[in-house]
Amino acid sequence: MRILVHVTLTTMLRHFESVLLSLADRGHTVRIASPVRKSKAPPLPALEAHRNISFITAPDGRSDHWKDRIADLRVLRDYLRYLEPRFAHSPKLRSRAARRMAHVTTRGEWGHLVARCPRCHERLIDDEVGRMLHGFRHAGLTSLAALLASTEELVPSDSGLEAFLREQQPDVLLITPLIMSGSQQPDFVKSAKALGVPVVFPVFSWDNLSTKGLVH
């Protein structure tokens, strides 16, 4: 079996080293793909030395006009999640999501979510904005989240990523961490599904499911 593993950083493989080595020992071909990074740590020695494991460079996300727009959409969906009642007592998570949304949607120009109170006109920042948004009806936020989720479904698979997957010819795509806010990794999932390639999502860390982004 040809197993394609996509990670944003090869250092994340430390949680899955024994699994990948076991697959390789059983005769499966494991190819680990990650984008080029300026400060990239070397692969784990045991993985690099195995004859059935190789490392390749993956595209850094989409190649079409959706690349930035889809990132904006996803980071907004990730932020709306922390406005849900179950995160009412999680101001740190809400503030972090707000800062991430501001950074992504302004292309790094802003590092915080800033607004003015409509009543007192005081300057609000990050979680203060989030608390103000809690004033909206939960049903309204739910409808907005559903609209954004439907928009994600309408975004097509990227031809560049499909070409990459066709070149690799994997029998299965294993992808992690996947749920970082504003991640481009969901587009690899979208293209794999378009080509009929099964996808496996091993969660990098147990707390990621409640402290990171959504599974888009």
Side-chain angles (χ1 to χ4, degrees):
M1 179 179 289
R2 294 184 298 274
I3 303 171
L4 179 63
V5 182
H6 187 279
V7 289
T8 52
L9 294 170
T10 54
T11 52
M12 292 182 168
L13 296 172
R14 66 185 185 275
H15 284 197
F16 312 107
E17 181 180 19
S18 62
V19 175
L20 298 178
L21 288 174
S22 178
L23 290 169
D25 287 341
R26 297 181 184 186
H28 299 294
T29 299
V30 179
R31 185 160 290 183
I32 299 170
S34 59
V36 174
R37 301 295 184 194
K38 292 182 179 179
S39 57
K40 187 176 181 181
L44 297 172
L47 297 178
E48 194 173 28
H50 202 290
R51 66 181 184 278
N52 288 338
I53 299 177
S54 58
F55 290 81
I56 61 173
T57 300
D60 190 14
R62 301 181 70 100
S63 59
D64 61 8
H65 69 284
W66 277 103
K67 183 176 177 69
D68 291 332
R69 293 181 177 90
I70 196 65
D72 294 344
L73 171 70
R74 289 173 184 151
V75 78
L76 178 56
R77 289 186 68 201
D78 292 338
Y79 176 66
L80 288 178
R81 172 195 196 192
Y82 291 105
L83 297 181
E84 295 176 3
R86 57 180 172 155
F87 290 104
H89 303 292
S90 303
K92 291 184 178 179
L93 295 179
R94 196 162 44 248
S95 290
R96 184 173 64 182
R99 291 193 298 270
R100 178 62 178 164
M101 182 176 67
H103 179 80
V104 170
T105 56
T106 64
R107 308 294 178 261
E109 184 177 347
W110 288 5
H112 296 277
L113 183 63
V114 181
R116 291 282 179 183
C117 176
R119 291 187 177 180
C120 65
H121 303 292
E122 289 187 5
R123 185 173 182 267
L124 306 176
I125 185 169
D126 295 339
D127 188 46
E128 294 173 342
V129 179
R131 291 202 301 271
M132 181 181 69
L133 291 175
H134 269 297
F136 289 108
R137 291 181 60 187
H138 176 60
L141 294 175
T142 300
S143 296
L144 177 57
L147 174 62
L148 295 176
S150 297
T151 304
E152 169 76 66
E153 293 294 326
L154 295 174
V155 176
S157 170
D158 178 66
S159 60
L161 297 184
E162 286 188 19
F164 170 73
L165 292 174
R166 286 194 183 96
E167 180 182 358
Q168 300 306 318
Q169 297 184 325
D171 294 305
V172 63
L173 172 65
L174 187 154
I175 191 163
T176 194
L178 187 61
I179 52 179
M180 303 302 289
S181 184
S183 174
Q184 296 280 345
Q185 281 190 307
D187 289 302
F188 285 85
V189 176
K190 192 184 291 283
S191 293
K193 290 175 66 176
L195 298 177
V197 178
V199 180
V200 176
F201 166 41
V203 180
F204 178 73
S205 179
W206 66 268
D207 65 332
N208 281 185
L209 296 175
S210 59
T211 62
K212 306 300 182 188
L214 297 168
V215 179
H216 294 283

